Amino acid sequence: MGKKVAKEVSIAVAEAVAQCNVDVISAYPITPQTHIVEHLSELVANGELDAEFVPVESEHAALSVCIGAAATGARVFTSTASQGLLLMYENLFIASNYRLPIVMVIANRSISGPISIWNDHSDVMTTRDAGWIQLFAENGQEAVDLIYQAYRIAEKCLLPVAVNLDGFTLTHVVEPIEFIDDELLKKYLPPLKMKYKLDPRNPITIGAIGIPEIYTESKKAQDEALKASYPVILRAWREFARLTGRKYNPVETYYMEDAEVALLIMGSLAETAMNAVDYLREKGKRVGLLRFRLWRPFPQREFIKAIGKVKALGVVDRAVSHCSTGGPVGIEVRSALYQSNKRPRVVNFIAGLSGRDVTVEDFVEMFERTYQALKEKPKAAYEIYGVKE
Amino acid sequence: MRKELKRFKGFTLKNMPREEFFAPGHRACQGCGTVLPVRLALKALGPDTIAVSATGCIEIISSPFPYTSWRVPWIHVAFENSASVASGIEAALKVLKRKGRFPKRKKVNIVVFAGDGATFDIGLQFLSGALERGHNLIYICLDNEAYMNTGVQRSAATPYGAHTTTSPAGKVIKGQVTWKKNLPAIVAAHNIPYVATANPAFYLDLMNKVKKASLIEGPCYIHVFSVCPTGWGCKPEDVIKVAKLAVETRVFPLYEVIDGKYILNRKVDKPKPVEEYLKLQRRFRHLTPEQIEYIQKRVNEEYEKLVKLCECFPAS
Ligand SMILES: Cc1ncc(C[n+]2csc(CCOP(=O)(O)OP(=O)(O)O)c2C)c(N)n1
Ligand code: SF4
Ligand SMILES: [Mg+2]
């Protein structure tokens, strides 16, 4: 195993992408994604990475370039955030329907308006239905590992993968990172060979019109493909653990074995939430924490298993779904529970919008409020937490 | 002369390739003058070609799954972004050749077919980006002067006075109120190696221009006059006649800009009156004599400007 080096997470992620020997990179600058693509263009300019860097005029074009390149059989990379992701929007759905193994890093940032460059999950949550595999990293090591894994998963499933990193709070921090060595990576990630691609030696048609007689079947086929990615993802993680000793699961748990009240969260805030769990455990409270690493395909079975016997679950959303039945995660969690026999009380907090600090004390407070829900049903389906009156 | 063009041998009726790469059986309207240039261009390019289409008539009529008219690899992604998709294909082939994952010596033409809406309006930024970055590709704009696929709405390519469903000939406002955007000029301002206008009524000229574009390294743009009998309200059997008249009246001059040097392919010293061209099309039937006079004057002015450019920046 390699040794740990201190790196800014964005730089480390770029180096992992370079290690994966990408062929075409196309991106457009947007805070807080910039360091990733700046570093990649530097690697290309210095001849350290043999790839084409296509410096496009917009994010829509960036994903369009990736679609064209991936359809031609190249390993591709792009990265964006916030407004950039929204500008890509129509292409997201096309990329997944065309079954293109694109890997994209989203440096999660809030969306306008009002304009804000800080972190939350409101950008990626608009893409829930886009048919991409969606992964969320908690720390720098995980960010790097998810890159290696994303290429393997994307190429085995022929589906695009988005790796979500919290903007600034994860992308811009320096952390000790252990890179997988190149020889090992070769074993883990074989060269990309696409059976169907744009090649004059075997002409195919991509992007035909979906008349009513076949549109439903096309969508069903796509749905099955995303469903089928689930065991492939688990296998990719098992194999990764065998090679590196680092274990990955769709749902991570912290003190869940005997928990009666738990919080559920995604992304890097989980580390703060863990401190709150430690604090409350010391006081004898049976609390635990859940974190979705895999968001699409939704890890239904693992989630239901992971909640164990909790009586109340506080779901911490990082995005608003205005006047619906919850935050994006809250809505899905309630729906997932309804398909199971478990019925914990669900409290839905929307917190940490636009980089607003969520402290250990805040999490302790959310735990307390979730405890209260055991006695009294929450009045509203969700609550925007920490609003200054 | 550009070094790549030293090898250029033009098509003649004798050596015109027999093979077709755009199959019959597509769903275009009778007499469609937008699909014809696609067939001719692919004939000129041959099988080692990857085609990209923007959303629009050509994409719709050529790909009703499970059928396809495309005998070369083809991709359609969205309405505005074909130039970027083609950029990605070009970048991919370049690096795959370099890394030995695609035959190094195999020359592949990358060609875009996009409508005027996809080019003048919603896709202009994408086109500009691809031209500026210098990708080795051929962009063919099939200019039928409106959004035909969605039911004949105006675009920036719609000529002055023309009736469309969003520039209707009303009681007060009589059709399109603006003059057509000069897209070849905008493209030429990107200083790309090759810009040309073409017209399927002059089919050998069109095929030769496509062939030249395939030989030249770097971005090439061909602007094709594409009659749409359905949207223009002309008879299917008059499509070629209308297309010829567009050149003979100076409405659509045929020219090339090679490395910034202008060549007028067809001098029209004794132009026919524009009215002859206009009267074959129902989209112009409401025009007042004053409007026709204005069109005539402006057409001549634009033509004179082009002649001046050819005199000032002649090809040697
Ligand atoms: C983003 C987006 N906006 C609008 C449309 C609807 N649309 C599809 S094709 C088209 C018009 C195409 O016009 P043009 O490019 O001139 O091609 P034509 O059909 O005339 O050949 C429009 C408006 C779309 N598909 N995507
Ligand atoms: S509407 Fe016009 S451009 Fe479209 S297929 Fe018919 S004739 Fe051709
Ligand atoms: Mg059109």
Side-chain angles (χ1 to χ4, degrees):
Chain A
M1 275 300 96
K3 64 175 196 327
K4 288 197 175 180
V5 285
K7 291 241 177 207
E8 183 190 309
V9 172
S10 288
I11 306 298
V13 161
E15 286 180 2
V17 170
Q19 273 188 290
C20 293
N21 238 320
V22 291
D23 301 309
V24 175
I25 302 156
S26 187
Y28 189 83
I30 182 165
T31 303
Q33 148 267 35
T34 39
H35 291 185
I36 300 171
V37 292
E38 284 168 4
H39 192 58
L40 279 166
S41 63
E42 200 176 305
L43 292 175
V44 173
N46 289 335
E48 292 169 58
L49 170 62
D50 186 4
E52 287 294 311
F53 189 96
V54 186
V56 280
E57 77 296 334
S58 73
E59 288 86 355
H60 194 302
L63 191 51
S64 306
V65 165
C66 287
I67 288 172
T72 313
R75 184 174 283 167
V76 304
F77 178 77
T78 188
S79 179
T80 190
S82 184
Q83 307 311 110
L85 185 66
L86 298 203
L87 197 57
M88 284 181 177
Y89 202 58
E90 64 169 340
N91 280 334
L92 296 172
F93 293 73
I94 299 169
S96 58
N97 184 256
Y98 290 11
R99 304 288 306 276
L100 298 172
I102 295 165
V103 172
M104 165 160 70
V105 166
I106 309 173
N108 300 119
R109 159 181 159 177
S110 24
I111 53 180
S112 302
I115 189 165
S116 148
I117 58 165
W118 294 276
N119 163 243
D120 63 35
H121 293 168
S122 56
D123 53 4
V124 61
M125 285 302 163
T126 64
T127 71
R128 278 171 289 166
D129 300 337
W132 286 51
I133 293 170
Q134 296 267 7
L135 302 165
F136 281 75
E138 179 183 89
N139 54 41
Q141 185 63 58
E142 192 173 331
V144 164
D145 290 348
L146 287 184
I147 295 292
Y148 305 134
Q149 297 157 5
Y151 277 105
R152 176 167 153 137
I153 293 165
E155 291 171 13
K156 286 220 189 275
C157 302
L158 291 182
L159 282 170
V161 179
V163 177
N164 289 278
L165 314 182
D166 283 316
F168 293 120
T169 52
L170 183 52
T171 54
H172 284 49
V173 296
V174 176
E175 290 195 14
I177 311 273
E178 187 176 321
F179 292 93
I180 176 170
D181 77 51
D182 290 339
E183 285 311 306
L184 211 59
L185 186 57
K186 262 190 206 144
K187 271 193 230 149
Y188 186 69
L189 182 63
L192 170 60
K193 284 206 185 82
M194 300 233 312
K195 191 166 166 206
Y196 298 108
K197 58 184 174 201
L198 297 170
D199 185 336
R201 293 167 297 178
N202 178 30
I204 58 165
T205 281
I206 305 178
I209 177 170
I211 49 177
E213 287 78 4
I214 59 113
Y215 188 90
T216 306
E217 287 66 29
S218 168
K219 282 295 162 195
K220 172 72 176 165
Q222 188 185 343
D223 204 55
E224 290 298 321
L226 188 53
K227 208 180 289 169
S229 73
Y230 198 73
V232 180
I233 297 166
L234 296 188
R235 230 174 297 134
W237 280 338
R238 240 179 284 134
E239 178 70 8
F240 195 81
R242 204 177 58 77
L243 294 175
T244 66
R246 296 198 285 274
K247 293 203 178 78
Y248 287 89
N249 295 302
V251 183
E252 289 297 334
T253 57
Y254 190 63
Y255 282 104
M256 283 303 292
E257 298 76 23
D258 63 342
E260 52 181 8
V261 165
L263 288 188
L264 186 151
I265 197 158
M266 284 159 82
S268 62
L269 263 185
E271 301 212 325
T272 317
M274 277 189 222
N275 293 332
V277 171
D278 293 343
Y279 170 80
L280 290 170
R281 280 271 166 184
E282 260 171 43
K283 297 189 139 193
K285 298 265 192 194
R286 292 200 348 246
V287 294
L289 184 72
L290 294 162
R291 172 167 73 90
F292 283 146
R293 177 177 287 117
L294 179 65
W295 170 239
R296 284 290 183 277
F298 187 84
Q300 172 77 19
R301 212 174 40 134
E302 265 71 10
F303 165 64
I304 297 298
K305 198 170 139 223
I307 57 170
K309 294 195 176 63
V310 296
K311 297 197 197 83
L313 180 63
V315 180
V316 186
D317 256 292
R318 310 278 321 277
V320 191
S321 173
H322 292 290
C323 291
S324 74
T325 56
V329 186
I331 295 171
E332 298 233 357
V333 159
R334 283 198 185 101
S335 165
L337 287 168
Y338 201 76
Q339 290 176 59
S340 80
N341 296 324
K342 297 187 178 176
R343 290 287 182 275
R345 274 264 152 90
V346 174
V347 192
N348 195 181
F349 305 101
I350 291 166
L353 297 183
S354 176
R356 173 77 63 85
D357 269 349
V358 187
T359 61
V360 177
E361 291 71 35
D362 289 321
F363 281 116
V364 169
E365 157 105 23
M366 287 187 236
F367 268 119
E368 276 165 13
R369 300 265 289 282
T370 309
Y371 263 110
Q372 277 166 25
L374 285 175
K375 294 192 210 108
E376 193 188 353
K377 206 171 169 199
K379 284 193 190 68
Y382 64 93
E383 175 199 338
I384 300 183
Y385 177 88
V387 180
K388 290 181 224 151
E389 300 293 343
Chain B
M1 205 209 318
R2 251 192 114 81
K3 64 175 189 317
E4 300 101 308
L5 292 185
K6 294 209 170 100
R7 284 177 286 147
F8 173 71
K9 277 226 304 280
F11 291 107
T12 61
L13 283 180
K14 282 205 182 109
N15 71 4
M16 177 117 145
R18 280 176 178 275
E19 232 180 316
E20 299 289 351
F21 298 96
F22 193 81
H26 56 73
R27 312 281 170 96
C29 313
Q30 199 180 28
C32 174
T34 306
V35 77
L36 183 56
V38 176
R39 182 182 146 223
L40 293 169
L42 289 181
K43 231 180 193 337
L45 292 170
D48 284 338
T49 298
I50 297 175
V52 182
S53 285
T55 310
C57 269
I58 291 306
E59 164 263 327
I60 297 287
I61 60 97
S62 66
S63 72
F65 188 88
Y67 305 105
T68 178
S69 289
W70 301 89
R71 290 176 178 160
V72 294
W74 177 79
I75 187 169
H76 152 253
V77 178
F79 184 21
E80 63 284 76
N81 61 351
S82 319
S84 315
V85 175
S87 304
I89 295 169
E90 189 252 11
L93 282 183
K94 209 154 132 190
V95 62
L96 293 181
K97 281 183 182 177
R98 204 160 66 219
K99 291 181 175 179
R101 279 153 59 200
F102 190 89
K104 272 204 172 58
R105 264 193 266 278
K106 196 171 183 69
K107 189 189 161 342
V108 179
N109 304 303
I110 298 160
V111 63
V112 174
F113 294 106
D116 50 292
T119 306
F120 284 62
D121 294 340
I122 200 166
L124 185 58
Q125 163 194 318
F126 299 79
L127 171 63
S128 175
L131 299 177
E132 173 270 326
R133 292 189 300 271
H135 297 279
N136 189 15
L137 51 83
I138 307 164
Y139 190 105
I140 298 181
C141 173
L142 302 166
D143 181 6
N144 52 25
E145 305 197 318
Y147 300 150
M148 294 313 174
N149 179 48
T150 37
V152 201
Q153 294 87 12
R154 61 104 48 197
S155 76
T158 303
Y160 169 82
H163 164 94
T164 70
T165 52
T166 54
S167 63
K171 290 203 179 91
V172 180
I173 303 168
K174 301 203 176 307
Q176 175 90 333
V177 293
T178 51
W179 195 259
K180 186 183 176 90
K181 193 193 275 187
N182 187 346
L183 207 73
I186 293 169
V187 169
H190 287 74
N191 295 319
I192 60 169
Y194 189 73
V195 181
T197 63
N199 180 324
F202 304 84
Y203 53 94
L204 284 177
D205 178 72
L206 185 149
M207 286 176 68
N208 285 334
K209 284 170 174 168
V210 174
K211 182 77 193 172
K212 281 185 198 171
S214 87
L215 292 172
I216 290 172
E217 275 291 314
C220 297
Y221 175 86
I222 304 176
H223 195 104
V224 181
F225 188 79
S226 307
V227 180
C228 166
T230 309
W232 295 11
C234 64
K235 293 193 194 123
E237 62 267 32
D238 281 347
V239 162
I240 297 299
K241 194 169 160 192
V242 170
K244 274 205 178 121
L245 275 170
V247 174
E248 291 163 356
T249 54
R250 298 177 169 179
V251 164
F252 189 87
L254 293 174
Y255 65 98
E256 290 166 289
V257 190
I258 308 180
D259 287 324
K261 307 277 192 267
Y262 284 72
I263 305 163
L264 192 58
N265 303 121
R266 231 161 239 273
K267 271 201 105 194
V268 188
D269 290 332
K270 293 200 189 79
K272 295 190 173 160
V274 288
E275 199 169 355
E276 271 187 46
Y277 165 75
L278 301 174
K279 73 180 182 208
L280 289 176
Q281 308 169 48
R282 276 203 309 280
R283 61 175 173 160
F284 294 118
R285 69 175 162 188
H286 57 280
L287 293 186
T288 59
E290 294 73 43
Q291 278 180 304
I292 294 175
E293 201 186 309
Y294 171 69
I295 295 171
Q296 181 67 69
K297 191 168 152 268
R298 184 84 190 252
V299 160
N300 279 336
E301 277 169 20
E302 297 293 330
Y303 181 85
E304 294 306 334
K305 258 194 252 170
L306 180 65
V307 170
K308 287 250 155 56
L309 279 169
C310 295
E311 284 165 10
C312 293
F313 308 102
S316 51

